[in-house]
Amino acid sequence: MSGTRPGTYFSLLGPVQAHCGDSPLPLGPPQQRALLTMLLCRRNAVVGLDELIDGLWGGEPPRSAVGTVRSYAYRLRRALGGGLLTHGRGYALQVGPGELDLTRFDELTTRARADVSAGDPEAARDLLARALEMWRGPALAGLPGPQARIQRERLAELRLSVLMERVELDLLLGRHGGLVAELTGLCLEHPLNDRLRTLRDAALERGGREREARTTAPGAPTLTPTPTAPPHLPVPAQLPYVPSDFTGRTEAVRDLLDALAPTAPETVVVCAVGGIGGIGKTTLAVHAAGRLREHFPDGQLYANLRGVREDPADPAAVLAGFLRALGVTDPALPEEPRERAALYRTRLEGKRILLVLDDARDAAQIEPLLPGSPTCAVLVTSRSTLSGLPAARRLRLDVLPAAEALALLGRIVGEERIAAEPAEAAALVERCGGLPLAVRIAGSRLGTRPAWKLADFLRLLDGRRPAFGPGFGPAFPGRDGPEGSVEACFRLSYDLLDAGQARLFRLMAVPRTPTLDLASAAALAGLDPAEAERHLERLTALGLLESPAPLTYRFHDLLGEFAAARSEERDSPGERTAALLRLADHMLACAREAYAAERPGHPLVGLLTPTTARGASFEAGPSHIEAVLAVAVQTLEARPSAVGLIADTLLALDPALDGSFLWAALLVPARRILRTAGEQENVRAAGRTGFLLGSALTRLGRFDEAEAALHDAERAAAAAVDEVVRTEILICRAVARQGRADWTAADALYREAIAAGTACGNAWGTTNARSNSVSTLLRLRRYEEAAEACRLSLTAAREGGDRYGEAHALYSLGIVARQGGRAAEAIARHRESAELGVRGGYPALEVMNLISETAAHLAAGHPREAAECGERALAAAQRLGWRAAQARTLRLLGTALAESGDHARARTRLTQALAHLEALALPEAAQASAVLASLAPPGH
């Protein structure tokens, strides 16, 4: 049943009309009637908004196109009394049996052909005559737009084909008397139609006018009607509009052109373009397809498969549309999808046609649409990875590089505005995250507001979260998603998620970290890792997450904002805080595992108590450490009472920080946590955090600040009876005093640390204290004690499987050998220690050994070797950003250059050394100054 008014009848076979009974219905202006025509030609099927826009305006739709279409639809719905239904971003017009003249025309011609097959040409001729009498003039007369033109040509060819079938039946029945005049007129109207001329000659011959005929009897047609011959149709050219400002993607376009341009392939070439919503998949695909027109002279077929919509395109309906474009009339369309697909492949056989299947949901949706002929090619776009699709080439689009994004913005708003505010333009495309849709929306808004400054627009963006949400900017008919906003584009994918996937997607945006691995994501959501992996892979397949490495996931910046906004809407503050606590607890468990591996037997491992039974592997790279620190601070902001958990997490990072020398990244988070520990009156957390802060300051050469932090930390650890940590604090205090060349105070602190460690069972700490005390003992000329401390430390480290301890003890033995005048032994020890440090991932130890090896070469009287080693030490220290090590290396390097006679380079290095040493208030400044003063002045 139709949803229109009872008695409604539509006419397409002439000027477009609609009647209710005997009364005409007001259909509005020509363009509104053109819209109705498109819906009638696809009656009872959904026609997408993009397709309607293309059909009405072609390649250059106005900015108001979407609003105009919706206005037309509203007016038609009022005129027709219903029946025009909205489906997502499209419309469908319900047309019942007998309500459209074109349907009645098709029915009559189908019955006529059946009568021919049954041997009743007279009945068939009468039915075709009745069908042709329904025409009231040229079909769709006066309608504008490319789709109306295409349908007008199709219907004209259909009428002519049926007319020629009726003429053939007239000749077969001997009714040739009145045909000559009719056919002569038709031949003048269609001078290139050989079939008409052949029929006219046959009519002349039958009427005894053989001399006037173009052909003789042997060439006369065989009058066997061929009513099923398809009408001649224009070559299908269904590619939608490509914005004239298409920018960049040079390599991607070249890849598609190379893959799709036919070179006698043995199988159908399929290319897949993937990426997140708004990345420009469709624009790229249609641009490339347009460049390939000459390679596919039989046409281009296009279908929007609506893969991320609630109503994805039914492959059977898409096949029907393709078959119509290939000349199959509706009565000849098979009902069974498999038969429809078979007919489709038959029609494509041997033809050179390019198919563009846009926004596919999955491989199952695409499979029925794939041609069988290798002369055809297929270009698919999808947010999904389409893992089951046998594609010859896959492209995963990334965001536009900054230069291309800036060029795109310039083509939209005008190059002169970019030139006037270059810094603001660069900041704007960065704020857009390189996402083409975001750049277009921003550019569209600026383009319609020429008086706006880019700086003012940036301030507007920075005050809006998300920047491109609902209501932001003008509607933009993006091919990757709906008009209006980046958020609406992303929401199409989000709405496809089930509850568990959507929850994980939202929670992934809660921690302020650039990436999360599988184990961390599972902990964040409180999921079993296997279930979390299924969810994450689904999110990645839909383009909502990126996977830069196996089992590692991240957001595009704007998608992260979208996910965070959804979490604010759906997840309570308590739920988000609980997620952060689970993640922080997981990170503590991971760091504790790493601590136990790096410092075997250390009693502190048993004092770090996460809820999670076991953590995953922990990588000590900058991004991982910074992620832990970011989550620690964020968790504390949400739940200050969790300061004990957070302090333990920081403490568990000690080996990772020591190995990577990322101490500078710790300073701000540690001070924030220390302040909260004081507010929460948690002395245990204060002692542990203060120890890490003091360690960082010591490593960075900021000894006065380190002393103050460590003094407070020791007092807090003593109050908490946290003796294992107090042992570590005493060692760090001693190292800080060493840095000040206060050897007596350092010696006293080392002794106290060894005693405290022995008392509380911190054997690792006592071994570390002994190894670190060697420099102090040597300075105090207690050579035998220094050698004994080295031997005890090396034995304990090797027995305990402590790689770091072993490397550090070998370093200390190298110092003892140098002080004892055994330079060759010292160099050998330092190289052995450095090799262990490199293998174990301790770059700081490598730097320490290179510096001491430089000193050993100097002690041996080999300044050139010392200079070469010093350059390597300087490069290693610079890689770590270890300023104190750089300062000390520059002093040794300058000394070596001076002794080798290269006074110019020596002066440069010593001047640099003196600046660093004085800035850090290190005692070696006096030595550097003395060597520099001993050099001859420049020019002497």
Side-chain angles (χ1 to χ4, degrees), residues 766-856:
T766 59
T767 298
N768 190 36
R770 285 195 182 94
S771 186
N772 275 285
S773 70
V774 168
S775 293
T776 293
L777 292 170
L778 290 172
R779 290 288 184 169
L780 295 173
R781 301 181 183 279
R782 289 152 55 184
Y783 301 115
E784 288 301 323
E785 287 183 58
E788 180 64 13
C790 287
R791 286 191 292 271
L792 289 173
S793 298
L794 184 60
T795 300
R798 285 175 171 169
E799 288 178 351
D802 180 1
R803 295 171 299 173
Y804 179 85
E806 181 181 0
H808 197 282
L810 287 168
Y811 163 76
S812 299
L813 280 170
I815 296 175
V816 169
R818 173 164 55 87
Q819 291 291 336
R822 304 185 303 277
E825 180 186 341
I827 292 169
R829 290 294 192 184
H830 287 311
R831 289 178 177 175
E832 185 181 2
S833 175
E835 185 180 351
L836 276 176
V838 171
R839 287 209 311 264
Y842 314 122
L845 268 176
E846 180 190 12
V847 173
M848 291 162 57
N849 279 287
L850 284 170
I851 294 173
S852 286
E853 184 184 339
T854 302

Side-chain angles (χ1 to χ4, degrees), residues 576-587:
R576 295 197 297 276
T577 299
L580 285 171
L581 286 168
R582 287 191 297 267
L583 180 57
D585 190 73
H586 165 75
M587 288 178 163

Side-chain angles (χ1 to χ4, degrees), residues 634-657:
Q634 190 180 357
T635 304
L636 208 58
E637 292 171 353
R639 183 72 58 81
S641 61
V643 69
L645 167 68
I646 299 307
D648 279 4
T649 304
L650 244 66
L651 185 56
L653 288 178
D654 189 16
L657 290 163

Side-chain angles (χ1 to χ4, degrees), residues 40 125 319 353 416 450 471 525 558 574 578 616 656 774 851 911:
L40 287 170
R125 189 269 174 203
L319 285 171
I353 287 181
E416 65 283 354
L558 296 183
V774 168
I851 294 173
T911 301

